[in-house]
Amino acid sequence: MLSLLLAMELMVAPAFAEGPVLVELFASQNCRACPKAHKTLKAVNAERDDLLVLTWSVDYWDYLGDKDPMAMTESKDRQRGYTDRFRLRGPYTPQTVYNGQEQCAGNKRHYVERALAKIQDKPDFDVQLVRTGDKIRLSGHVPDLADIWLVDYLSGEANTTDMLHPVTRVSALGPWLGNPVELNVPHCESGCAIIVQEAGFGPVLETMVIAP
């Protein structure tokens, strides 16, 4: 009888799969060290299945060459948020940020691996994104206000650049205080992800990749 009840409970209870570690690279086509960062992150990403690497192109190096066609104002704004968060002297490329909790230069593999190791030592947050059909349910507990972001990026054959998942658009879906929320599954032309993050560009609480 007990085994039957346990089996029924496993059938009914949803299984919460932890989302990937969010790795954000801030780069520019006019940054001399950025090609090495792209190669480094591609190599690390190829060896793991628990990462989502997003490349945010910035425009503040445009005066060194041609205008970066992938650069967005939102990329620069997001990096400025991290600059304040980590109390850095200023933004730089190629900067990488790991779940909003660690940052380092992305062109040296041992820096990247050290930052990923530090993330593994940090406790998981009690936040879940669960997809059922055309709906996504967000639930859990947050210490303070959080933001819900929808990030679109190029993936697969649509990505003809030398970058991993270059970001093409970012949308704020709203603030979140930990109450259960139901979201519509977004339409992704290439690739997109929902990111739940403490307000003020704090720790990333959960990430869900949405298949196109």
Side-chain angles (χ1 to χ4, degrees):
M1 185 67 175
L2 178 59
S3 59
L4 177 60
L5 289 174
L6 287 174
M8 293 176 62
E9 192 172 306
L10 289 171
M11 292 175 60
V12 174
F16 296 128
E18 293 182 4
V21 174
L22 178 64
V23 180
E24 300 175 82
L25 169 64
F26 295 91
S28 167
Q29 70 173 12
N30 296 308
C31 157
R32 293 182 179 179
C34 287
K36 186 175 180 181
H38 296 313
K39 291 180 181 178
T40 297
L41 291 180
K42 284 180 180 179
V44 173
N45 185 68
E47 297 174 2
R48 300 178 55 143
D49 59 2
D50 62 340
L51 305 181
L52 171 61
V53 180
L54 297 179
T55 303
W56 299 84
S57 295
V58 296
D59 63 2
Y60 51 77
W61 296 128
D62 282 359
Y63 72 93
L64 295 175
D66 294 332
K67 180 179 175 65
D68 192 325
M70 297 298 296
M72 305 187 305
T73 300
E74 293 87 348
S75 299
K76 186 164 56 179
D77 292 343
R78 188 169 182 85
Q79 190 179 27
R80 283 175 177 167
Y82 283 133
T83 299
D84 293 340
R85 158 100 172 123
F86 293 111
R87 299 181 180 179
L88 303 176
R89 296 178 64 181
Y92 69 93
T93 57
Q95 181 189 23
T96 47
V97 179
Y98 303 81
N99 268 355
Q101 299 175 65
E102 296 288 337
Q103 73 85 35
C104 69
N107 58 328
K108 295 186 182 297
R109 180 161 182 152
H110 64 279
Y111 289 171
V112 172
E113 292 179 340
R114 183 172 61 189
L116 287 169
K118 288 181 179 180
I119 290 299
Q120 291 176 347
D121 292 337
K122 295 181 182 295
D124 293 328
F125 296 98
D126 184 20
V127 174
Q128 297 88 33
L129 285 167
V130 179
R131 178 173 178 173
T132 304
D134 60 353
K135 299 292 183 182
I136 297 173
R137 181 176 175 82
L138 170 61
S139 61
H141 303 282
V142 289
D144 207 340
L145 181 69
D147 293 317
I148 309 172
W149 301 99
L150 172 63
V151 178
D152 289 83
Y153 54 86
L154 299 179
S155 65
E157 295 181 356
N159 183 15
T160 58
T161 74
D162 61 352
M163 300 178 284
L164 268 177
H165 303 145
V167 175
T168 58
R169 183 175 60 180
V170 57
S171 307
L173 300 185
W176 185 54
L177 283 170
N179 52 303
V181 172
E182 192 172 74
L183 306 170
N184 292 322
V185 174
H187 172 69
C188 306
E189 293 185 2
S190 181
C192 63
I194 292 177
I195 299 169
V196 184
Q197 184 173 22
E198 282 190 18
F201 299 98
V204 171
L205 308 176
E206 183 62 295
T207 300
M208 172 180 277
V209 176
I210 310 296

